[in-house]
Amino acid sequence: MSHQRRRGQKATIWRTITITDNRGNEVKVADEANPWIVKAWEIPQRSAKAEVPGQQKINIIRLGVQANLEGVELWSRVVFKGKPYDVVTPPAYHHGSSRHVRHWSIDIRERPNHG
């Protein structure tokens, strides 16, 4: 097991739940009542810095975690290193050759106006 996996940083993840809004529609939202704290390691994916007014900074990171990410979907939220992120891709399971390398990965994008 790598040093990065053993000493990963904490990430707070809110799973997706389905609720009924005031019009009777079923909608998916992040379950803010039940945060889930996991140890995660990061792999930078791509970024673009806003250089002209009106552009947005794009920062996408792939998080790897040992835990099962059941219930995490595109409507879930993540806080990593004190910054809020949106989920970009659903979690992907990587089986690996042994239990020491099995993990889940998830791509997250930094929310605008935070950094």
Side-chain angles (χ1 to χ4, degrees), residues 1-11 38-42 64-67 80 99-103:
M1 184 181 289
S2 72
H3 176 76
Q4 189 178 19
R5 288 186 189 194
R6 274 182 287 159
R7 304 215 176 163
Q9 299 185 19
K10 290 183 182 177
V38 297
K39 189 170 22 171
W41 59 94
E42 65 178 314
V65 298
Q66 294 285 17
F80 184 66
R99 66 181 177 87
H100 299 289
V101 295
R102 291 179 190 144
H103 66 278

Side-chain angles (χ1 to χ4, degrees), residues 30-42:
D31 184 9
E32 295 187 15
N34 299 307
W36 186 29
I37 299 173
V38 297
K39 189 170 22 171
W41 59 94
E42 65 178 314

Side-chain angles (χ1 to χ4, degrees), residues 10-16 30-40 63-65 67-73 76-80 85 87 91 106 108:
K10 290 183 182 177
T12 305
I13 300 174
W14 287 269
R15 296 177 180 157
T16 300
D31 184 9
E32 295 187 15
N34 299 307
W36 186 29
I37 299 173
V38 297
K39 189 170 22 171
L63 288 185
V65 298
N68 182 356
L69 294 177
E70 185 176 337
V72 175
E73 300 175 6
S76 301
R77 286 201 183 162
V78 177
V79 171
F80 184 66
Y85 289 85
V87 175
I106 184 171
I108 57 175

Side-chain angles (χ1 to χ4, degrees), residues 80-96:
F80 184 66
K81 292 185 174 179
K83 295 180 181 177
Y85 289 85
D86 289 325
V87 175
V88 178
T89 60
Y93 177 67
H94 304 278
H95 190 72

